[in-house]
Amino acid sequence: MSIEHQLERAEQLCQQRGVRFTPTRRHVFTLMAGQKGAVSAYDLLDRLKELEPNAKPPTVYRALDFLLTQGFVHKVESLNAFLFCDHFAEHHPMQLLICTQCGQVIELHDEAINNAFEHQAQLHGFAITSQSIEAHGRCRQCQAEKPANC
């Protein structure tokens, strides 16, 4: 799906939800939509400055907070980075596979994993307010490569 189409979908959702999709939020959304994989806020800020030369860290963090709240991006907690979500129109479970070699982040949407996790929390009398399920390892491509030190 094109970035323009993603932007149109996001604008429609914001209008339906009654929230403001400001120019800065649009810029950060567009940058995230064009990003392959996870990106740090400061790397995003460097790219945003090309569009908004006066942008400062709070500018990008406020925009990212908005995008997180609307479900347009996910936070990769262990990398302190952000990942664009192609499935932002509906709430969905999310688990992340993170390659420690190349940095690829794969977003999964497994309801069974989510249900098992919530069930275990309930058994322990725990009320989940937010969750991040992340696993680190090596992706298929990195596993197939010959180790550099051989």
Side-chain angles (χ1 to χ4, degrees):
M1 185 175 309
S2 72
I3 293 173
E4 293 79 20
H5 186 70
Q6 297 273 24
L7 186 58
E8 287 174 18
R9 285 179 50 223
E11 287 172 343
Q12 289 171 352
L13 282 174
C14 287
Q15 188 174 29
Q16 290 170 3
R17 295 172 180 169
V19 295
R20 290 185 60 226
F21 202 33
T22 65
T24 298
R25 291 171 176 174
R26 281 184 179 89
H27 286 150
V28 174
F29 178 94
T30 302
L31 291 171
M32 289 296 304
Q35 177 69 37
K36 297 230 189 249
V39 62
S40 75
Y42 279 92
D43 287 341
L44 196 55
L45 176 62
D46 289 342
R47 295 183 60 209
L48 180 60
K49 283 182 177 181
E50 295 171 14
L51 301 168
E52 298 182 22
N54 295 328
K56 304 279 186 251
T59 307
V60 76
Y61 278 110
R62 281 192 300 268
L64 286 168
D65 284 343
F66 173 83
L67 297 178
L68 280 165
T69 300
Q70 298 306 314
F72 299 151
V73 299
H74 298 297
K75 184 162 187 190
V76 184
E77 298 288 343
S78 62
L79 301 178
N80 196 22
F82 299 87
L83 180 70
F84 184 75
C85 179
D86 288 322
H87 315 304
F88 59 76
E90 68 276 339
H91 179 74
H92 58 274
M94 183 206 51
Q95 304 87 32
L96 300 175
L97 302 176
I98 303 163
C99 182
T100 55
Q101 188 167 331
C102 71
Q104 177 185 16
V105 180
I106 300 168
E107 182 180 349
L108 305 176
H109 308 112
D110 192 313
E111 196 72 45
I113 293 171
N114 193 57
N115 291 341
F117 194 69
E118 287 180 5
H119 178 72
Q120 286 299 313
Q122 290 172 355
L123 289 176
H124 290 85
F126 192 84
I128 297 173
T129 56
S130 71
Q131 74 176 15
S132 176
I133 301 176
E134 301 178 12
H136 293 260
R138 292 176 66 212
C139 68
R140 180 179 294 141
Q141 183 174 343
C142 289
Q143 289 180 62
E145 292 177 1
K146 186 176 178 181
N149 57 359
C150 289

